[in-house]
Amino acid sequence: MIGHDGAHYLAEALKINSCVTMIKLGDNTIGDEGTAHFAEALKVNSSLTTVNLRNNKIGQKGAVHLAEALQTNSSVLTIELDFCFCHCICLCFPLFWPLFLLLALLVRLRNGAVLH
């Protein structure tokens, strides 16, 4: 498990990488802090098309970071967030639904984009 620190180092590498198109980071205890680092990398990375962040500890703040990054990133077509804490928050607190609807909308507005 890479956690927050590992996400930070990986994000720094992704900022300068132009070859990796898919990254699978499921089950890595990445929380909002790690997601913030990863989102910063998504803002400048133009090669990633598929991002798997399934089963991590991504909450409301992490979802907002991802939504902001997807406003500038034009390469990500698929982002997987299944079983993240953010989904549980949405189910328990309907007030958070707009955040996830925004995230879904940002991804789906692109040609061929899918949110899992």
Side-chain angles (χ1 to χ4, degrees):
M1 290 185 263
I2 65 170
H4 301 305
D5 292 335
H8 171 73
Y9 295 122
L10 181 59
E12 291 301 311
L14 287 172
K15 287 180 181 178
I16 58 173
N17 185 291
S18 60
C19 298
V20 176
T21 60
M22 177 190 297
I23 191 159
K24 293 184 176 186
L25 296 173
D27 301 301
N28 273 292
T29 64
I30 298 171
D32 290 337
E33 182 182 340
T35 305
H37 294 300
F38 190 68
E40 287 302 312
L42 286 180
K43 289 179 181 178
V44 296
N45 181 287
S46 61
S47 63
L48 281 175
T49 59
T50 303
V51 177
N52 178 333
L53 292 170
R54 302 172 90 172
N55 202 25
N56 280 291
K57 298 179 179 180
I58 301 169
Q60 177 185 2
K61 290 180 183 178
V64 169
H65 291 300
L66 287 174
E68 291 172 350
L70 291 173
Q71 289 178 12
T72 58
N73 180 294
S74 60
S75 64
V76 174
L77 300 176
T78 303
I79 186 164
E80 299 179 36
L81 294 170
D82 309 35
F83 304 110
C84 288
F85 285 170
C86 59
H87 291 289
C88 295
I89 291 170
C90 278
L91 293 174
C92 297
F93 302 102
L95 294 176
F96 293 134
W97 269 108
L99 290 173
F100 301 101
L101 293 175
L102 172 64
L103 180 61
L105 178 63
L106 290 173
V107 173
R108 289 182 175 158
L109 283 176
R110 290 205 210 101
N111 292 334
V114 176
L115 180 69
H116 291 281

